[in-house]
Amino acid sequence: MVIENDFFSSNNTVQKISEDEKGRLGDYLELVKAFARTTYSSIYIIDYEKKGFEYVSENPLFLCDHTPAEVQELGYAFYFKYVVKEDLDLLLKINTIGFDFYQNIPVEERLNHTISYDFRLKNPNGKTFLVNQKLTPVFLTNDGKIWKSICIISLSSELQSGNIKIYKKGENKIFSYDLEGGFWKVLKKIELTSREKEVLQYSIRGFTIANMAESMFVSADTIKFHKRKLFTKLGVGNIAEAIAYATSNKLI
């Protein structure tokens, strides 16, 4: 039987925080709250010493009709209540392989990595929807354990759960986990051309193909050509999916 403590790896047990470690925090939560006010994504902070949520933003996506205070009080019980059963097992798997990954990289590099994955939430009305969660450590203990992490949740651009990836800041590669094979593989990050980025940026602003062609000083057929290349490169079927994918994967 799965219990809440299963989400907290023995490899990352945080026993007691020293006064020196507490002194590093400052007013960091005020920065997190300010960031939460500027985004449509849901933000929360995990505290691995207290084994719960230190902060939950007011953005409604992650709340499943609860208030932030209620979700904060529920802590990891929230997952047991609202994550689809199969995906709860997936989250436990991600938890294990994620901490194992972090244990095998130098301490000084741990804050530079972000893990991303998708799972399904089921709200009180029975509606199931796929979300993407990106988790980044923000504070380590003196011995390199992850003390606090920031999580950013948005609607997923994928079609199914999983899609486990780790990104390292400043590197053009992605570590992707093969769930069937049980191993990490290294992928090269997709690179967009300047024209493809322009098409995305203008599309976000609501430009039509004719508007783009006029602004970019090219023909409408050229815009269509770049859109087709973009869709093929990202593996999507329309511009809305392309925008969601590119935004989620930090391509623009």
Side-chain angles (χ1 to χ4, degrees):
M1 177 179 161
V2 177
I3 60 175
E4 290 179 43
N5 272 342
D6 291 338
F7 280 96
F8 297 93
S9 170
S10 59
N11 289 335
N12 193 72
T13 301
V14 179
Q15 300 286 3
K16 186 177 180 180
I17 300 300
S18 68
E19 290 304 314
D20 170 63
E21 290 166 325
K22 291 178 182 177
R24 299 180 206 158
L25 296 182
D27 292 328
Y28 91 99
L29 269 184
E30 293 306 312
L31 294 175
V32 175
K33 292 174 184 178
F35 172 57
R37 291 194 294 270
T38 69
T39 178
Y40 290 109
S41 300
S42 290
I43 313 293
Y44 67 104
I45 300 289
I46 300 174
D47 186 318
Y48 291 96
E49 181 206 13
K50 297 178 180 176
K51 297 185 177 181
F53 301 156
E54 180 178 20
Y55 168 76
V56 177
S57 74
E58 294 182 3
N59 308 64
L61 177 62
F62 179 62
L63 303 182
C64 293
D65 294 344
H66 286 283
T67 66
E70 288 170 340
V71 174
Q72 191 170 344
E73 179 67 24
L74 280 168
Y76 273 73
F78 176 88
Y79 288 111
F80 287 82
K81 192 171 183 179
Y82 294 110
V83 173
V84 173
K85 174 60 174 68
E86 296 82 2
D87 287 4
L88 185 63
D89 294 335
L90 172 68
L91 291 183
L92 288 171
K93 175 71 173 178
I94 294 169
N95 186 70
T96 299
I97 64 173
F99 279 118
D100 287 347
F101 184 97
Y102 275 89
Q103 286 295 312
N104 288 301
I105 58 177
V107 171
E108 63 271 15
E109 295 183 7
R110 291 179 186 175
L111 295 181
N112 295 327
H113 289 76
T114 297
I115 186 168
S116 171
Y117 45 88
D118 301 296
F119 61 95
R120 290 169 294 168
L121 286 173
K122 189 173 185 179
N123 67 23
N125 296 323
K127 181 180 179 182
T128 299
F129 55 103
L130 189 67
V131 297
N132 172 261
Q133 177 164 292
K134 290 181 172 61
L135 185 152
T136 302
V138 289
F139 290 105
L140 303 179
T141 60
N142 289 335
D143 57 354
K145 302 289 177 62
I146 299 173
W147 175 18
K148 296 178 189 287
S149 292
I150 186 170
C151 296
I152 300 177
I153 295 185
S154 57
L155 288 173
S156 174
S157 61
E158 300 288 348
L159 300 177
Q160 59 186 11
S161 304
N163 314 303
I164 309 162
K165 299 173 184 175
I166 290 181
Y167 304 83
K168 183 182 178 184
K169 183 179 71 175
E171 289 195 1
N172 188 33
K173 64 181 179 183
I174 300 169
F175 298 94
S176 177
Y177 191 77
D178 187 310
L179 279 167
E180 291 186 5
F183 59 88
W184 291 98
K185 54 189 176 183
V186 178
L187 306 176
K188 186 176 181 182
K189 189 176 179 180
I190 295 174
E191 293 186 10
L192 302 181
T193 66
S194 58
R195 282 300 195 198
E196 289 164 349
K197 289 179 182 178
E198 279 187 287
V199 168
L200 282 170
Q201 289 161 355
Y202 280 121
S203 297
I204 290 171
R205 295 168 60 187
F207 278 45
T208 65
I209 288 177
N211 295 150
M212 287 187 220
E214 182 179 356
S215 298
M216 295 164 66
F217 304 103
V218 296
S219 68
D221 285 339
T222 299
I223 299 297
K224 292 176 184 176
F225 168 76
H226 286 300
K227 287 182 76 171
R228 286 194 298 271
K229 281 187 61 182
L230 179 64
F231 294 171
T232 299
K233 186 178 288 187
L234 300 184
V236 299
N238 57 58
I239 194 63
E241 291 177 359
I243 292 170
Y245 184 96
T247 303
S248 178
N249 290 278
K250 302 179 181 180
L251 301 181
I252 53 174

